[in-house]
Amino acid sequence: MKSLIIVSQLYLFGTVCSLDQDIKELFQNKIRRYSNFSCDLAWTPEQGHHLVAIADIEKDQWLLKVPSKYAFHAWNEFPGKSYLREAAIKANISIPQNLVLALRIKSAFDSSETHFDTKDDQHFIRSVLQYYSELQLDDMPLWTQEDMVYYAENAAGQALDRGKKDRQEKYEQLMEGIKLVEDAEQFAKAISNFTEINFWWSVVSTRNHQVFNHELQQILSISDNEMNSLRKNNNFMSGNGMVNLLIPLIDLPNHHQPRNTNLTDFTKFTLHLSNTSVGVSTSTPIIKSDSQITYTYNPKYLDPFSLLNHYGFTSDNNPFATMLLTTPNYLAKIFNPNEKQMCTLINCAQNLKSNDQLTTYLLKREAIPQTDLMNIYRIKFVSKARDMDNEMLGYSIGRLQLKDRLNKENMFSVGNEIMSVMRYAQLIKDSLTLYPSVKEHKGKIKAIGENQGWRDHSGSRRKVLTHELSINRLQVLQVHFLYSLERGIDLIHQDLLQVIPQSK
């Protein structure tokens, strides 16, 4: 699912080195026509094919208005769909909607047949399918075993997602179901290559827009009874509460990565649906002529790993970056009962399970420090001068009073806070030493980039993406380490001011 935004920082996915000249001219003519000559198609080696404004575009002005007949979805009938429905029923499985749509797109591409009557429409759709077939996609479900081995050996942080395995399991369930369907041998043979199916699955998953059922009803211009019947005929698909649309041309803009974690630079995106057209507009005050048109694909997928996993790209200095920090759970074993109770009061006890050997914290670039972890150190290193407060833990009113003091009155001494933040800094520093440095990752990216044509080789692209993701994650540790040092220096300065006489 995608959400629209128009701003300056751009990230591309699914590039094609160069379009056939005839297809390029066709797309350009369609874009100019459907945008009322406010948009055009452009291409650069770094940004691939994308949309640019050739006239100022005002707030809520439609960027493009594409005939709704061009939108692909999995809800109407197409060759082979009856086999899918019967296979799901006989095997008692649900087939992912994106897989069904991928099979529909692949079928149309393989057969070169369309349901359009005019030669113009047929030529356009065949050109779109040809363009899709040549996309260079790097979302993680497409990564080969060699890609995954390189990632495992070089990436900082958590392992690869299960996306490809999950897809393969769903695909294998489907193929087992098709074996139960009579006269489906030819269809089974046509979809027997998982690598091909997986590619078209990614074409759909990286480019689709989601709409509600009633919005599809608007596009199809059908009655409520007809829509209910359509919904019943498609209940073999999982995720059919929403409808996935693949909308040619509207899926061309590159991604913009918001730079503010509160999403103040997020711009509302709106699809305008009818039985004749699918339009798109944005709440951006104005898009200046000669500016690239971009949008944020999904506000839920803004951290580096999600962007790479779902779309196949990363972004530099990503403020939404995260890093999993795994540390031995030794604190649980040395905490005394009073300390554990105190830790519970300030919400840091969820990771103190005595039977766990390791505990994991999610560090966020914009959330410094990791509160649970810092609070554990604060409790453990609480100064002896405050030990008398442990007596308050013996009764409920005392615990409430202590919690109030911990949260509001900053009962921790400066010395205690210094010890806590320095231990925090040491843990982060130790974690940084577990991985190659940012400089080393940048060096490997540079070396790969010196090979001419590296962008056309999936293995090279995915190596670069591995290092870019790692840099984003290591930056999270760097930011937390720098915070710890700055915080420690500030606390030491405060402590000194308490003992050094101030001049009058």
Side-chain angles (χ1 to χ4, degrees):
M1 183 179 176
K2 301 178 180 179
S3 304
L4 195 69
I5 194 165
I6 309 295
V7 273
S8 58
Q9 184 116 4
L10 315 173
Y11 299 96
L12 67 155
F13 79 100
T15 60
V16 174
C17 293
S18 60
L19 280 173
D20 176 272
Q21 187 61 31
D22 290 340
I23 296 179
K24 180 180 178 181
E25 291 179 0
L26 174 63
F27 280 16
Q28 284 182 319
N29 291 335
K30 291 284 188 181
I31 289 167
R32 291 168 184 168
R33 175 185 172 188
Y34 296 145
S35 68
N36 196 22
F37 294 92
S38 63
C39 300
D40 200 359
L41 178 69
W43 180 86
T44 66
E46 297 77 21
Q47 298 173 356
H49 293 96
H50 55 275
L51 294 185
V52 294
I54 55 177
D56 290 354
I57 300 174
E58 303 292 336
K59 178 180 178 180
D60 297 327
Q61 178 182 336
W62 289 21
L63 307 174
L64 282 174
K65 185 179 179 182
V66 177
S68 55
K69 62 185 177 181
Y70 290 154
F72 292 100
H73 57 86
W75 285 57
N76 53 2
E77 295 301 309
F78 57 89
K81 188 174 180 181
S82 60
Y83 296 134
L84 299 177
R85 184 182 294 109
E86 190 172 350
I89 294 172
K90 288 183 176 294
N92 193 27
I93 59 173
S94 293
I95 306 175
Q97 184 180 166
N98 275 353
L99 174 54
V100 177
L101 182 51
L103 293 173
R104 184 200 167 184
I105 302 294
K106 181 184 182 300
S107 173
F109 175 74
D110 290 342
S111 66
S112 297
E113 294 181 2
T114 71
H115 61 279
F116 296 104
D117 297 325
T118 70
K119 290 184 178 180
D120 179 71
D121 287 341
Q122 292 173 3
H123 178 51
F124 175 64
I125 290 300
R126 286 170 184 159
S127 298
V128 168
L129 293 172
Q130 183 64 39
Y131 168 71
Y132 287 160
S133 74
E134 297 174 4
L135 289 172
Q136 295 175 336
L137 301 176
D138 293 309
D139 55 310
M140 283 185 159
L142 286 182
W143 287 31
T144 66
Q145 183 62 33
E146 183 179 354
D147 298 329
M148 289 188 260
V149 168
Y150 187 88
Y151 179 97
E153 293 175 348
N154 292 272
Q158 63 263 47
L160 275 169
D161 188 78
R162 275 184 48 87
K164 186 171 186 176
K165 289 184 178 180
D166 290 342
R167 282 189 185 182
Q168 191 148 11
E169 288 173 3
K170 293 294 184 181
Y171 169 79
E172 290 172 356
Q173 288 177 3
L174 169 60
M175 297 305 290
E176 288 299 315
I178 289 178
K179 291 179 181 178
L180 306 175
V181 180
E182 293 183 7
D183 302 322
E185 293 81 7
Q186 194 65 27
F187 178 71
K189 183 178 179 181
I191 64 171
S192 61
N193 188 323
F194 172 72
T195 300
E196 291 182 2
I197 303 303
N198 196 32
F199 170 80
W200 288 103
W201 199 333
S202 284
V203 170
V204 172
S205 66
T206 58
R207 308 182 80 84
N208 79 87
H209 293 75
Q210 286 190 330
V211 301
F212 292 103
N213 289 353
H214 71 270
E215 292 174 309
L216 177 64
Q217 185 177 353
Q218 287 180 306
I219 293 175
L220 299 178
S221 188
I222 58 178
S223 67
D224 290 344
N225 287 338
E226 290 172 316
M227 188 61 199
N228 289 334
S229 177
L230 185 64
R231 188 182 293 111
K232 183 178 180 180
N233 287 336
N234 286 282
N235 62 9
F236 70 93
M237 296 188 297
S238 59
N240 65 358
M242 301 289 288
V243 178
N244 293 335
L245 295 179
L246 204 57
I247 313 171
L249 305 184
I250 284 180
D251 60 10
L252 278 173
N254 283 333
H255 171 76
H256 165 73
Q257 180 68 19
R259 309 313 299 175
N260 300 320
T261 55
N262 59 4
L263 295 181
T264 55
D265 56 347
F266 180 79
T267 303
K268 184 180 179 182
F269 155 72
T270 304
L271 279 180
H272 305 272
L273 306 168
S274 74
N275 65 325
T276 59
S277 66
V278 178
V280 59
S281 66
T282 175
S283 60
T284 298
I286 188 170
I287 306 170
K288 289 290 187 180
S289 179
D290 296 326
S291 299
Q292 183 175 165
I293 299 171
T294 65
Y295 56 85
T296 298
Y297 293 158
N298 192 325
K300 296 179 181 179
Y301 301 143
L302 296 177
D303 66 277
F305 183 77
S306 293
L307 288 174
L308 180 54
N309 186 42
H310 292 280
Y311 298 112
F313 59 81
T314 60
S315 67
D316 298 334
N317 296 308
N318 190 335
F320 298 88
T322 62
M323 179 67 166
L324 282 179
L325 179 65
T326 301
T327 181
N329 194 20
Y330 63 90
L331 288 172
K333 295 179 174 57
I334 63 175
F335 262 36
N336 63 46
N338 280 344
E339 288 170 336
K340 287 184 178 180
Q341 273 194 292
M342 197 181 299
C343 201
T344 301
L345 289 177
I346 58 174
N347 300 318
C348 67
Q350 53 264 42
N351 289 320
L352 292 179
K353 298 176 181 177
S354 58
N355 60 329
D356 291 343
Q357 297 299 313
L358 298 173
T359 185
T360 302
Y361 300 92
L362 181 66
L363 303 185
K364 297 182 179 180
R365 180 164 174 164
E366 86 281 8
I368 309 171
Q370 211 288 347
T371 307
D372 292 351
L373 184 56
M374 267 298 294
N375 281 343
I376 286 176
Y377 289 134
R378 284 168 175 148
I379 295 299
K380 188 58 201 172
F381 299 136
V382 68
S383 64
K384 291 183 178 180
R386 298 292 185 180
D387 279 351
M388 59 182 178
D389 291 315
N390 289 338
E391 299 174 3
M392 302 175 71
L393 292 167
Y395 52 98
S396 59
I397 295 178
R399 286 193 293 272
L400 290 174
Q401 291 175 343
L402 179 58
K403 182 177 181 179
D404 185 67
R405 291 180 63 182
L406 288 170
N407 290 337
K408 297 180 180 179
E409 299 179 20
N410 191 23
M411 74 161 279
F412 298 113
S413 67
V414 173
N416 184 83
E417 189 73 3
I418 291 173
M419 287 190 293
S420 300
V421 79
M422 289 298 99
R423 183 64 188 88
Y424 187 91
Q426 185 62 50
L427 178 63
I428 301 299
K429 182 181 178 182
D430 292 344
S431 298
L432 277 167
T433 63
L434 297 175
Y435 308 104
S437 67
V438 169
K439 183 178 180 180
E440 289 176 278
H441 283 292
K442 288 184 175 180
K444 290 186 178 181
I445 292 174
K446 182 179 179 182
I448 294 170
E450 290 173 350
N451 296 320
Q452 189 174 8
W454 70 271
R455 294 180 187 274
D456 299 329
H457 185 261
S458 62
S460 297
R461 294 195 309 270
R462 292 163 192 176
K463 287 178 181 179
V464 169
L465 289 167
T466 295
H467 295 298
E468 289 177 343
L469 174 65
S470 297
I471 290 171
N472 268 297
R473 287 173 169 170
L474 292 174
Q475 286 173 339
V476 176
L477 294 177
Q478 289 177 330
V479 168
H480 278 255
F481 182 65
L482 290 175
Y483 160 82
S484 302
L485 296 181
E486 292 172 357
R487 173 70 172 155
I489 291 171
D490 180 62
L491 287 166
I492 292 171
H493 181 67
Q494 292 181 39
D495 200 32
L496 286 173
L497 290 179
Q498 294 179 15
V499 297
I500 299 176
Q502 302 297 302
S503 59
K504 295 183 179 180

